[in-house]
Amino acid sequence: MTDSPAVHGTRRSVLKTTGALLAAGGLLGSAGTVAAADGWATAETPTDRTLHAVVETTVGAFAVGGGGDVLRRTQNGWTRVVDGGPTGNGNDLYGAATTDDGERLWVVGASGAIGEYDVQTGSLVDHSAPNDVTNNFNDVSVVGEAGDANVYIAGDSGKIYNSFDNGATETWDQVTPGSGSAIQAIDFHGPTSGHAVDGNQTVFETTDGSVYENIGIANANVNFYAVDSDGTDSVHVAGGGAMVHRWDGARWTPTDLGDASLRDIEVEGGAGYTVGGGGAVFEYADGEWRRESTPTGANLKSVRRGDTDIAVGASGTVIEK
């Protein structure tokens, strides 16, 4: 299996193009109700539970969160398509990712919950408790096409779980890359190449999907909650104290954005967002970060760029731009 740093970017480009086509056809009408100065608007949702992750698929955006909720954005606004998660037990969902073709939505969460959702048919396959592991799973990254993907999961126990066979039973391996602190986030830019961050202020890099190297960050002095991996020389990490760190393959460059705990980051092609506590949204453009006005004070947990930019968070909050 060969590694291609272009895989991750290609998937995002395809999904953004799909989103634009859907919008042009009227399938992604705005559900916003309260506008802010920088174009963000709130959207109504069918839940008051925390939404922990939002991703883009070939049929539009999906968000996952408390109680095993999976929400889909349609022409009529946000609607619940899964209630109770992959096991039906209502375990909270903390992470989500899509296959490169945008046809499958993978979700992970509490008590070992793992699910693979077909966005076209609405069918849900339960992959929960791999190797009988029922620890909490915080994040997931998926590389490959629907039905033939590599799946990587960040575990609260300090382990990273991976399947090179689309999550099939008996194909899961696990590794503890660091001290055993919770793996907070994971992101892959190629079939076996990516990065993860843990609760001990450490960033890990792998090129084979199995062995991880500690690449920093020395003297960071903040917790890490999010990582965006676009290549061996293009990594962004976000965390407490409104700190963003960028890796260029040789050194880390820190940026202090003020006063917010940052929970997600997405940067590609010189543009992106990071989001966090108190409704904080920072946009990256022209080499600089700038805080944007938003219509919410809710803690934001996840952000995705597309034809419609979306951030989600506490109390079922969704804001769109």
Side-chain angles (χ1 to χ4, degrees), residues 221-236:
N221 297 321
V222 296
N223 293 327
F224 302 148
Y225 298 114
V227 61
D228 180 47
S229 173
D230 291 320
T232 57
D233 59 354
S234 181
V235 184
H236 289 83

Side-chain angles (χ1 to χ4, degrees), residues 11 53 55 95-99 104-107 139-142 304:
R11 171 175 57 189
V55 296
T98 62
T99 51
R104 297 289 190 277
L105 169 70
W106 283 79
V107 299
D139 197 14
V140 58
S141 185
V142 181
R304 281 298 176 269

Side-chain angles (χ1 to χ4, degrees), residues 47-53 64-67 69 93 299 301 313-317:
T47 184
D48 59 1
R49 297 163 173 163
T50 296
L51 297 172
H52 292 280
V64 305
D69 279 349
L93 298 176
N299 294 333
K301 303 291 188 178
S315 303
T317 297

